[in-house]
Amino acid sequence: MSTLVDYSVDDGIAVIFINNPPVNALSQPVRQAIKEATMAAGGDDGVTAIVIACAGRTFSAGADIREFDAPVKDPSLPILNDFIEACAKPVVAALHGTTLGGGLELAMSCHYRVALKSTRVGLPEVHLGLIPGAGGTQRLPRLIGAAAAIEAITTGRHIPANEAMDLGVLDEVVEDDVLQAAVRAAHRLVGDGVISRTGDRDVDLETLQDGVFSKAKAKLSKRRRGFDAPQAAVDAIEWASTVPFSQGLLKERECSNTLKASLQSKAQRHLFFAERLALKIPDIPKDTPLLDVATTGVVGAGTMGAGIAICLLNADLPVVLVESKQDALDRGLERIRKTLDRDVDRGRLDSETRDVRLARLTGAIGLEALGTVDFVVEAAFESMEVKKKIFTELGSICKSTAILATNTSTLNINDIAAVTCSPDRVIGTHFFSPANVMKLLEVVRGDKTAKTFVATTLKLGRRIGKTPALSGVGYGFIGNRMLEDYVRESQMMLLEGASPAQVDSALEAWGMAMGPCAVMDLAGQDVSFLTRDQNRELLPNDPLYCVPGDIMNAEGRFGQKTGKGFYQYPDGRTRQNDPDAIDLINAAATKLSVKKRVTITDQEILDRCLCALINRGAQLLDDGIALRASDIDVVWSAGYGFPAYRGGPMFYADSVGLDVIVQSFETFAKEFGNDYGYWTPAPLLVNLAKSSKTFAEYDADQKGSA
Ligand code: 3H9
């Protein structure tokens, strides 16, 4: 038998023990070994029942995603699961850790499921652009009903063991020694002489209320706009109640294979691995010692500071929140309390946990309160002068091992670090607003930041539920630097006669969560103007550069917060077209002699905005600000609403073809001129296109040469 699967028999119970670290993925050799072990147990008269369990931190977390680009080798997981379900001897699954995807599908094919209390189960395939394709869409509704299966499969959420027990996914939850509990259950099942196969059940009719499937699909078309897999999952769950089990399995398999071959799934799988790769920094060895972060502090109790404090509290870390004035501190503390209360009201948090978290929050006036904390993040006003003053003091107040992080979105980390006595401890942590909701955390490595501090901050980012990506020091880091070019191009088209609504709807229909005009109104036209104004020397000296945004700022149309910007917001949030904004832009265009275009197509809007975005991404790679194209994809999908099913800007560029992108630059340069180099492709882009390579290949080459 394989070293990946151990097989033993004791007192009539065969134990199939999977040992494929780190997450016991069901790769082909594992599947083969499970099948052989099951056959051995089935053919051994001394065996009365079988237990399947896993070593290490978790029961299987699913199929091996790395195998998905190659043809499936026998035994496939669906076939293995059917084989286990058909076994004439009782098969018990002993679950722990995160039993996900194919792991849960394997467990549902067993005849009884025991789980440790801390286990979480789920079918998260939709996040990979897939449906559960090894019986999950047919077995789960048979266990928990159609409505609950739709919720579980289309959200892919990790369900705690007790809830899974109540729903009917599990048969037993135990406090400890799940393997022994499974062996006891196996003996009991032998005694009972009954085998309960999930496939023999029917979906509970009561869960098939009128329109359950069509309503779910309508809801998902809004919530998961543009994603194919959630819609397909609802169809597959419906088959569980409309066709016989064996036919449902075949239909599920066909649908799963189609999705697996789709660009959407490839894009989402790319992001899965990209997010994990982003934590690995080529010059920082895996065994770099990490600092222990047990206590934290936040400087500044405004919107960002309070949001960051909530992230830290939610990760069970104590927080000292520091302000210079009592009323500002009180407002920040109140904001945190209200957010946690709201989480309780919405059922996201129980009141006991809220109380524990709030007990870990301390407010203080003055930086002296931060003397003992392990990690400080400064979230004060975005001004170099203010930040330098704070860091000068932090350098002497904080203990010598404390990480000193700044939440700047544009300022130079090296300049901030230079004022402290230990620049090696200074790092950027760029959170996105609202900090307790947005996933992205750009970690900015200064020239002198020590490796230990980089590695610890990336790890901490994961611990507080963020998706970290590393950036070098440079204006706007990765995300905002690219946003600058994307927004520039969108505003150029406003001057040429496109309306904000046309620009936004073209990009939103393509998949962006929000178009660039709406984003600017949300972020605040005043805020973006200030950033542009403070960095003019870094931006093109183009008289047309972001003129529409400058006008909105000059007119006091700051966006949502003033009820008017590119749009008007009668209720403060919902945008409506505003002819006044269009008149203002048109007047400026006339004054600047911008030639009005008769038509600007949606395709042109997409092409110009996306080419500008991709080009800056390539330039950031050339400049060494971004380490990998895949890191850029992580930044834009986790922080800027780039559709995950398109894999991020660089993956998208690869899917279009870099030669096609470079060709577009030539077309645009001819049509719109190139006085400011907007349509000069970055050297990396040109070189890759010339050698028929992709950004993915560029990343692989970098890895190879590291
Ligand atoms: C499926 O099952 C399809 C079936 O329905 C149908 C088949 C026909 N495969 O996340 P971590 C690697 S689809 C291969 O950092 P954590 C991961 O890349 C699958 N590799 O740990 C990383 O590698 P590295 C459905 C996998 O503790 C390492 O394991 N299942 C897989 O933060 C550690 O991962 C899912 O979608 C995999 N399935 O989180 C679950 N999973 O060290 C996906 C992980 O080289 N996995 N790796 O960077 C997860 O959600 C998280 O990994 C988990 C652990 C929660 C399990």
Side-chain angles (χ1 to χ4, degrees), residues 189-303:
L189 293 186
V190 173
D192 293 348
V194 181
I195 292 183
S196 164
R197 293 186 177 86
T198 311
D200 290 343
R201 301 186 188 195
D202 288 324
V203 180
D204 182 354
L205 284 178
E206 278 184 25
T207 67
L208 295 169
Q209 314 93 333
D210 261 0
V212 62
F213 301 109
S214 56
K215 280 185 198 152
K217 285 180 82 169
K219 220 194 246 176
L220 287 163
S221 65
K222 293 196 184 104
R223 280 208 193 141
R224 305 285 291 153
R225 180 167 54 90
F227 287 87
D228 293 339
Q231 299 281 337
V234 178
D235 286 338
I237 296 165
E238 187 168 6
W239 299 330
S241 56
T242 53
V243 300
F245 181 60
S246 57
Q247 211 178 319
L249 288 177
L250 288 177
K251 282 166 83 68
E252 176 202 75
R253 211 161 300 165
E254 197 185 327
C255 175
S256 161
N257 287 339
T258 305
L259 287 172
K260 210 196 294 177
S262 72
L263 190 56
Q264 285 211 355
S265 176
K266 286 187 178 140
Q268 289 177 258
R269 271 142 50 197
H270 159 74
L271 285 174
F272 176 85
F273 288 114
E275 284 178 11
R276 282 150 185 87
L277 188 64
L279 302 170
K280 296 174 186 140
I281 311 306
D283 71 326
I284 302 185
K286 218 173 153 192
D287 56 0
T288 300
L290 296 180
L291 298 156
D292 186 24
V293 177
T295 53
T296 69
V298 178
V299 181
T303 315

Side-chain angles (χ1 to χ4, degrees), residues 22-23 57 61 63-65 98 102 105 125 128 132-133 276 280 462:
V23 297
R57 68 200 215 208
D64 190 331
I65 306 165
T98 40
E105 292 176 295
E125 283 87 343
L128 300 169
R276 282 150 185 87
K280 296 174 186 140
R462 276 286 270 192

Side-chain angles (χ1 to χ4, degrees), residues 20-27 31 57-68 72 76-79 81 97-105 122-128 130-137 158 252-253 256-257 260 269 272-273 275-277 279-280 286 462:
N20 184 23
V23 297
N24 291 308
L26 297 164
S27 58
R31 299 194 301 268
R57 68 200 215 208
T58 186
F59 191 83
S60 173
D64 190 331
I65 306 165
R66 287 165 306 188
E67 284 183 352
F68 285 5
V72 182
S76 70
L77 189 57
I79 298 293
N81 286 349
T98 40
T99 299
L100 301 175
L104 180 58
E105 292 176 295
L123 294 174
E125 283 87 343
V126 285
H127 300 306
L128 300 169
L130 300 168
I131 59 167
T137 65
H158 298 187
E252 176 202 75
R253 211 161 300 165
S256 161
N257 287 339
K260 210 196 294 177
R269 271 142 50 197
F272 176 85
F273 288 114
E275 284 178 11
R276 282 150 185 87
L277 188 64
L279 302 170
K280 296 174 186 140
K286 218 173 153 192
R462 276 286 270 192

